[in-house]
């Protein structure tokens, strides 16, 4: 917590006191014994949070979510191979562009803004390509597209891909540790995220887990990825740290690793509802998501993401009501809360976005403060929001 303003955007997020405390240290050497231990533990905790299988491999690389996406793209396929992108917004479009730059033959399966293509449509697209003798090598989906607040049906998508021998890659940057995901059980091949979203650490780390199949896909590529993005370069390093030995390919972001370690510890040690670990933390995010949606609705607002079933639990994309525009953001900020504007191309002025992931599962008080700031700002803008109803509806969910 900065103490000045409350940062409620979909990443970076407010940090827990525990993570902030860890950040208050000089950067350790990448081969200091205590650092090696924490790096290894972080990789192991990733396995747990991701629900990863024994043959899979976690990677922690300095970089952003975008870099994690790029690592996934360049290690999965080479020029001329076919990729299907489930398009649910700005970040899916970015993934498609990365694939095109890699030389992949990209098909995008789109839906109206705020919607997601159905699993039936996806299965049809996969089957038609197969029947035409031009099967997809891999499919890419954004678990929660941060531009729309839409969550895809990751389990059904991963299973559909697995059944057909197609690799599945999920951008979990706005989802991992905040939305349900069981990598091995569902047969997903890559699940990636960044440090600054639901894992509750500062920006700067790209995190991925690759299945055995995904690791094999890299070995079978006809052309190697750029060196710094090549998982073959990083693989011995990750294996060494997990086995308790230091290693070097490129200096890890040691300070950030310590913060991530603490963030992961808070996820796997999370206790609520008589449960422990990532499943409990994800349930807490579902509760927060319900509370925020109840709050918006009782304030008289509607979501950009079409229906509650596909609305993310980690963030809200909320439409401005009639007569209110994006000047609302300034009014909310004046009340000490920072939220984000719209991000869907061409619809930026229609809605705003609020992040409620990570440490926020511990702080219903700050979530209510956010709803209050939005409600008061709406009233100031001339919209008749029922502030008490909004706050009570959210409170009732906790
Ligand atoms: C934030 C986000 C990204 C991009 O992450 P950066 O760290 O900003 O590069 C990619 N995908 C999704 C779904 C995101 O929410």
């Amino acid at each position: 917590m900065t103490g000045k303003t409350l940062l409620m955007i979909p990443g970076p997020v407010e940090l827990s006191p525990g993570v902030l405390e860890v950040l208050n240290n000089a950067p350790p050497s990448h081969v200091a014994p205590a650092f090696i231990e924490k790096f290894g533990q972080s990789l192991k905790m990733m396995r747990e949070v991701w629900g990863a299988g024994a043959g899979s491999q976690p990677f922690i690389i300095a970089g952003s979510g975008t870099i994690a996406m790029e690592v996934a793209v360049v290690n999965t396929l080479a020029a001329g191979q076919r990729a299907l992108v489930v398009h649910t917004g700005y970040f899916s479009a970015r993934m498609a562009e990365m694939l095109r730059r890699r030389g992949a033959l990209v098909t995008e399966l789109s839906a109206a803004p705020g919607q997601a293509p159905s699993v039936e449509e996806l299965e049809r697209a996969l089957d038609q390509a197969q029947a035409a003798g031009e099967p997809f090598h891999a499919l890419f989906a954004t678990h929660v597209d941060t531009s729309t607040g839409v969550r895809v049906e990751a389990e059904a998508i991963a299973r559909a891909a697995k059944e057909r021998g197609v690799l599945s890659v999920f951008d979990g940057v706005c989802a991992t540790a905040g939305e349900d995901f069981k990598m091995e059980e569902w047969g997903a091949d890559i699940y990636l995220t960044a440090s600054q979203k639901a894992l509750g650490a500062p920006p700067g780390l790209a995190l991925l887990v690759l299945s055995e199949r995904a690791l094999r896909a890299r070995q079978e590529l006809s052309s190697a990825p750029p060196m710094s993005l090549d998982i073959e370069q990083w693989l011995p390093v990750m294996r060494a740290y997990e086995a308790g030995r230091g290693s070097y390919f490129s200096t890890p972001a040691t300070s950030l690793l310590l913060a991530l370690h603490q963030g992961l510890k808070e996820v796997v040690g999370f206790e609520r509802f008589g449960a422990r670990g990532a499943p409990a933390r994800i349930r807490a995010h579902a509760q927060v998501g319900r509370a925020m949606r109840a709050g918006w609705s009782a304030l008289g607002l509607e979501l950009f993401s079409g229906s509650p079933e596909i609305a993310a639990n980690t963030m809200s994309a909320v439409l401005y009501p009639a007569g209110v525009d994006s000047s609302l953001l300034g009014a909310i900020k004046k009340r000490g809360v920072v939220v984000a504007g719209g991000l869907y191309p061409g619809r930026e002025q229609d809605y705003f976005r609020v992040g409620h992931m990570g440490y926020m599962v511990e702080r219903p008080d700050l979530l209510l403060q956010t709803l209050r700031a939005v409600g008061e700002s709406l009233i100031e803008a001339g919209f008749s929001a029922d502030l008490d109803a909004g706050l009570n509806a959210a409170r009732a969910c906790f």
Side-chain angles (χ1 to χ4, degrees), residues 10-11 63-67 69 91 94 142-146 171-174 192 194 196-197 203:
S64 61
T66 301
I67 288 178
M69 292 164 68
F91 288 105
R94 172 174 294 184
T142 313
H143 194 180
V144 168
D145 200 298
T146 321
D171 169 358
V173 181
C174 195
L192 65 91
Q196 78 274 23
K197 305 230 178 161

Side-chain angles (χ1 to χ4, degrees), residues 42-346:
S42 299
L43 293 164
K44 289 192 176 79
M45 287 190 283
M46 279 176 69
R47 290 181 186 280
E48 188 178 330
V49 174
W50 268 240
S56 64
Q57 181 60 51
F59 294 84
I60 303 173
I61 299 171
S64 61
T66 301
I67 288 178
M69 292 164 68
E70 197 99 74
V71 168
V73 164
V74 299
N75 285 280
T76 308
L77 36 62
Q81 290 186 296
R82 289 175 200 283
L84 182 66
V85 175
V86 180
H87 190 311
T88 46
Y90 179 90
F91 288 105
S92 317
R94 172 174 294 184
M95 190 74 99
E97 174 60 14
M98 283 178 173
L99 285 158
R100 280 191 288 268
R101 290 184 184 209
R102 177 73 171 148
L105 305 173
V106 180
T107 302
E108 288 177 81
L109 193 61
S110 302
Q115 304 291 337
S118 71
V119 176
E120 292 71 36
E121 282 174 81
L122 172 86
E123 289 178 330
R124 213 176 309 130
L126 293 174
D127 290 339
Q128 279 172 357
Q130 189 121 37
E134 296 177 338
F136 291 108
H137 181 67
L139 78 74
F140 294 78
T142 313
H143 194 180
V144 168
D145 200 298
T146 321
S147 70
T148 58
V150 168
R151 181 184 55 239
V152 298
E153 293 178 62
E155 177 174 5
I157 294 172
R159 289 189 189 280
K162 180 83 186 289
E163 273 169 24
R164 292 163 175 81
V166 177
L167 290 168
S168 63
V169 178
F170 292 88
D171 169 358
V173 181
C174 195
T176 309
E179 303 280 0
D180 194 24
F181 198 90
K182 299 186 176 75
M183 189 168 168
E184 177 169 47
E185 193 182 317
W186 300 351
D189 292 299
I190 301 184
Y191 193 41
L192 65 91
T193 190
S195 45
Q196 78 274 23
K197 305 230 178 161
L199 290 171
L205 294 174
L207 313 175
L208 306 94
V209 178
L210 274 71
S211 73
E212 254 180 301
R213 278 205 311 162
L215 294 167
R216 227 177 302 124
R218 158 63 191 94
Q219 290 169 352
E220 289 164 3
L221 286 181
S222 55
S223 66
M227 197 161 169
S228 65
L229 303 177
D230 186 356
I231 54 148
E232 289 278 301
Q233 298 294 327
W234 291 105
L235 194 58
V237 177
M238 300 303 143
R239 287 194 172 142
Y241 275 104
E242 209 170 346
R245 298 188 312 276
S247 181
Y248 175 76
F249 163 57
S250 168
T251 308
T254 55
S255 298
L256 293 176
L257 188 286
L258 298 185
L260 173 73
H261 178 266
Q262 177 63 28
L264 282 164
K265 242 174 67 181
E266 291 175 13
V267 174
V268 300
F270 188 82
E271 287 185 53
R272 199 175 292 174
F273 317 112
R276 187 183 163 86
R281 179 104 160 185
I282 287 162
R283 240 179 102 184
H285 276 89
Q287 187 181 45
V288 166
R290 270 196 305 278
M292 297 306 280
R293 288 192 290 278
W296 304 131
S297 172
L299 284 174
L301 301 175
E302 285 176 21
L303 298 183
F304 185 67
S305 39
S307 63
E309 301 82 63
I310 60 167
N313 290 321
T314 49
M315 60 164 290
S316 299
V318 188
L319 291 165
Y320 296 119
V324 176
D325 63 21
S326 59
S327 63
L328 189 75
L329 300 182
I332 298 169
K333 190 168 174 203
K334 237 175 44 198
R335 290 170 171 82
V337 179
V338 177
V339 301
L343 190 61
Y344 195 94

